Amino acid sequence: MILREEMEVRYSSVDCPLGRLLVAATRSGICFLSLGETDAPLEAALSSDYPAARINRGPVSSDWIEALLAYLNGETRNLDLPLDVRATEFQRRVWQQLQAIPCGSTRTYGEIALALGYQLTAARAVGRACATNPVSLVIPCHRAVREDGGLGGYRWGLDRKRALLAHERALTLGQAQASAATFRLF
DNA sequence: GCCAGAACTCTGG
DNA sequence: CCAGAGTTCTGGC
């Protein structure tokens, strides 16, 4: 990930249906999100992505955290939160495509490549751009899947990707309550 | 700059 | 079904 000197990052972590959720933000928006079992690896991932930033545990907008939890609890389907992420032009275009995928559906890496005007073979590069998305959930990289029906990969664990897609599918079918109640990993 | 390696996809055996 | 090649981009050296 790109480093920005003198960047001030605060982070906070909470329990959520998928385990631990770490939210990191600058003054202007969310710059990093991670999901895992325990805080330690999530903190390590944060510093690894922002090696030059001044990172401290501290208050993060409760509105943002509430919005994320509401989404994970099936109370809302859209996440429209301010972001503060650095990206190459290509990444920005891919991430924009990801955000255009409606909750409950998916696109293949190849479809995204074509939508951007590239050859189908650019799918691999699209996968790379998805993999380096620093703000999962808000930029829904879990909605990108393989052409052959496979899930592809997920930085925070394929079980979470699978759970997120099942959750969103259920939400779309109007089974929010059922989904919220059964949202689990294994 | 150059290079190896990707969260891919298609082809051929 | 598996191996290999082709495409496009990125991070590290």
Side-chain angles (χ1 to χ4, degrees), chain A residues 36-55:
Chain A
E37 304 291 308
T38 60
D39 284 0
L42 302 183
E43 290 164 347
L46 172 60
S47 359
S48 161
D49 272 21
Y50 292 91
R54 283 175 34 97
I55 302 173

Side-chain angles (χ1 to χ4, degrees), chain A residues 49-127:
Chain A
D49 272 21
Y50 292 91
R54 283 175 34 97
I55 302 173
N56 290 294
R57 183 176 274 280
V60 171
S61 163
S62 56
D63 285 347
W64 299 347
I65 294 182
E66 291 305 316
L68 288 162
L69 290 177
Y71 161 75
L72 288 171
N73 285 319
E75 295 153 15
T76 170
R77 294 166 50 172
N78 296 315
L79 282 175
D80 185 20
L81 298 172
L83 298 180
D84 185 8
V85 294
R86 180 61 62 90
T88 64
E89 183 58 28
F90 182 75
Q91 287 169 331
R92 185 164 25 252
R93 303 216 303 145
V94 170
W95 297 348
Q96 200 172 326
Q97 285 294 313
L98 291 175
Q99 290 192 289
I101 307 173
C103 177
S105 60
T106 59
R107 295 281 182 282
T108 66
Y109 297 104
E111 283 172 335
I112 294 169
L114 293 179
L116 291 175
Y118 292 89
Q119 299 298 309
L120 184 60
T121 46
R124 194 161 193 161
V126 168

